[in-house]
Amino acid sequence: MAQEDVFKKIVSHCKEYGFVFPSSDIYDGLGAVYDYGQNGVELKNNIKRYWWESMVLLHDNIVGIDSAIFMHPTIWKASGHVDAFNDPLIDNRDSKKRYRADVLIEEQLAKMDDKIEKEVAKAAKRFGESFDEAQFRSTNERVLEHSNKREALHQRFAKALNDSNLEELRQIIIDEEIVCPISGTKNWTEVRQFNLMFNTDMGSTSDGAMKVYLRPETAQGIFVNYLNVQKTGRMKIPFGIAQIGKAFRNEIVARQFIFRMREFEQMEMQFFVRPGEELEWFKQWKETRLKWHKALGFGDKSYRYHDHDKLAHYANAATDIEFLMPFGYKEVEGIHSRTNFDLSQHEKYSGKSIKYFDPELNESYTPYVIETSIGVDRMFLSVMCASYCEEQLENGESRVVLKLPAPLAPIKLAVMPLIKKDGLPEKAREIIDTLKFEFTCQYDEKDSIGKRYRRQDAIGTPYCVTVDHQTLEDDCVTIRFRDTMEQERVPVKELSNIISEKVCMKSLLKKI
Ligand code: ATP
């Protein structure tokens, strides 16, 4: 099946099974804003818990905070967001559609990558086991031609971005003959800068009102609280502050479902270090964060690093962790070495000293910062894409199963009476009543057992437990495993042990 179709199926699966709904659905939605349904919120909370515990529980030098969305407007002046949080945008005059100029060029680069990968895949098939991929990549004429073209474009693009040269970005789009996907024409406007921050008024009178911003990142809430936490928690450098919260960006092109939203959630951790040690810590956090992703078991090939061509105004090193979505490798997390830019700016704009006195060095300095910043919603999408599976079964039927890592699954077990009478529902309820303190359980008595299994497969429930007449005599139930569909007869009192071994967060955290 084409990857585009797979993605469409995942989007409709999300709606059909209560994971994600368009916001304001009965009013035909609101662009790039989404709501999480009954299963979505559980999965999302589990992702957040996995992240939070991996930071705060596993590191005794990382603590959490929860700062407000509204902050003093000068913060955004100090951070550079008022002046520089811009995207270069370009309009197509025929379709009247607006695009990010950098994204159009990145898509062109991805097309070139695709061509190279197709050549490699074709050759791998032709040569079979004797295929030497590295040699092929470095000698094949067609691959070399594509690679050279790609490299030239890449360099030109990186330079234009670094110089903030909007005319050159437009010229690249013209020279590469990039067309608007809607109108198919090359009738492009100039490239302009567009600030992504939402703002609103705070205060009751119009002349006394203050313009405040909806935060475009959670990080600044950490920076302005850094000294409060350091002092009250008696934190010693190196230490980190973690936060999960909403962020808002007036994205120009909102496409690809929950990949690019106007209201989204971030999980950010700022790690404060001694000046000069930041690149070592950057390397370490890059590795730790990739391990966190890989522990989910979706396969190492699903991830890659992407080092930034254009460093943000505050960074001296930056990389993305990209995940292979059905629409290509895409950023899920950013890891940035932000120098002491933010703290120094806040010192300058607030007029207050926020230096750290290092007792070991016997000197004061403004700490350097390594940031790990991951979007909850993008992570959610990557988990959905990696878990969605359509399987042909031996009996000729097919099933859709979400092979979610068990600790992330919204429902951990479904308890089903074989029939709706003879005391079986009561027994099923009794089992739930003992297990509900540990696991999210669901009671299901409607339809045939086969249909009930399919429903649970579709939302990724790792275990189904069936109560039958025999259960009333021997206190044993049939437990069915989602991925293998195998069934086993086990005593009710064993259920808790069997299930908790796989579904507890500890099993994931231990792999990091
Ligand atoms: P992009 O280049 O895709 O716009 P970014 O580099 O601006 O992303 P960061 O500012 O580094 O993103 O934000 C950190 C993380 O927040 C991203 O890796 C992503 O997971 C998430 N994120 C950023 N913008 C959005 C958005 N509009 N919708 C959902 N998640 C987002």
Side-chain angles (χ1 to χ4, degrees), residues 32 85 87 100 102-103 106 196 216-217 248-249 251 257-268 308 314 320-321 331-336 371-379:
F85 192 53
D87 275 344
R100 261 172 67 175
D102 56 332
V103 171
E106 273 167 10
L196 298 181
E217 62 174 28
F248 305 83
R249 295 182 189 178
E251 297 282 1
F257 192 39
I258 54 173
F259 182 79
R260 192 172 296 288
M261 302 157 90
R262 296 202 165 100
E263 174 179 339
F264 58 101
E265 215 166 346
Q266 287 186 315
M267 306 189 278
E268 297 198 299
H308 282 206
Y314 49 73
D320 297 334
I321 294 178
E331 169 183 347
V332 173
E333 170 156 8
I335 299 150
H336 312 120
E371 161 183 88
T372 72
S373 171
I374 170 168
V376 180
D377 313 271
R378 278 193 198 175
M379 188 61 205

Side-chain angles (χ1 to χ4, degrees), residues 192-330:
R192 283 170 296 139
Q193 294 285 19
F194 177 81
N195 193 290
L196 298 181
M197 279 199 295
F198 284 102
N199 60 61
T200 186
D201 296 323
M202 185 178 264
S204 51
T205 57
S206 60
D207 49 347
M210 174 159 71
K211 179 168 159 179
V212 292
Y213 298 97
L214 271 70
R215 64 180 180 198
E217 62 174 28
T218 55
Q220 297 304 323
I222 294 180
F223 289 126
V224 295
N225 275 299
Y226 139 81
L227 205 60
N228 284 337
V229 173
Q230 190 272 318
K231 290 222 160 109
T232 55
R234 288 173 288 115
M235 309 299 289
K236 283 208 178 73
I237 278 193
F239 74 91
I241 305 179
Q243 162 156 246
I244 299 179
K246 288 270 177 141
F248 305 83
R249 295 182 189 178
N250 196 2
E251 297 282 1
I252 301 156
V253 191
R255 269 186 298 153
Q256 288 157 335
F257 192 39
I258 54 173
F259 182 79
R260 192 172 296 288
M261 302 157 90
R262 296 202 165 100
E263 174 179 339
F264 58 101
E265 215 166 346
Q266 287 186 315
M267 306 189 278
E268 297 198 299
M269 194 279 299
Q270 317 288 330
F271 199 71
F272 300 90
V273 303
R274 279 183 186 158
E277 294 183 0
E278 72 276 12
L279 292 179
E280 195 42 49
W281 282 109
F282 173 72
K283 193 166 154 256
Q284 200 162 315
W285 276 110
K286 242 175 101 165
E287 284 162 18
T288 309
R289 292 305 305 146
L290 190 60
K291 271 198 203 157
W292 182 89
H293 287 275
K294 287 185 174 172
L296 292 170
F298 297 140
D300 291 1
K301 283 204 163 156
S302 304
Y303 306 93
R304 71 177 190 195
Y305 289 122
H306 170 239
D307 294 329
H308 282 206
D309 292 320
K310 184 192 178 193
L311 291 175
H313 55 280
Y314 49 73
N316 70 357
T319 198
D320 297 334
I321 294 178
E322 296 186 335
F323 179 82
L324 185 56
M325 304 270 187
F327 43 93
Y329 277 101
K330 295 286 166 191

Side-chain angles (χ1 to χ4, degrees), residues 46-58:
N46 292 337
I47 291 174
K48 290 196 270 186
R49 218 179 106 215
Y50 176 41
W51 183 87
W52 186 263
E53 294 189 355
S54 77
M55 290 293 175
V56 175
L57 211 62
L58 299 193

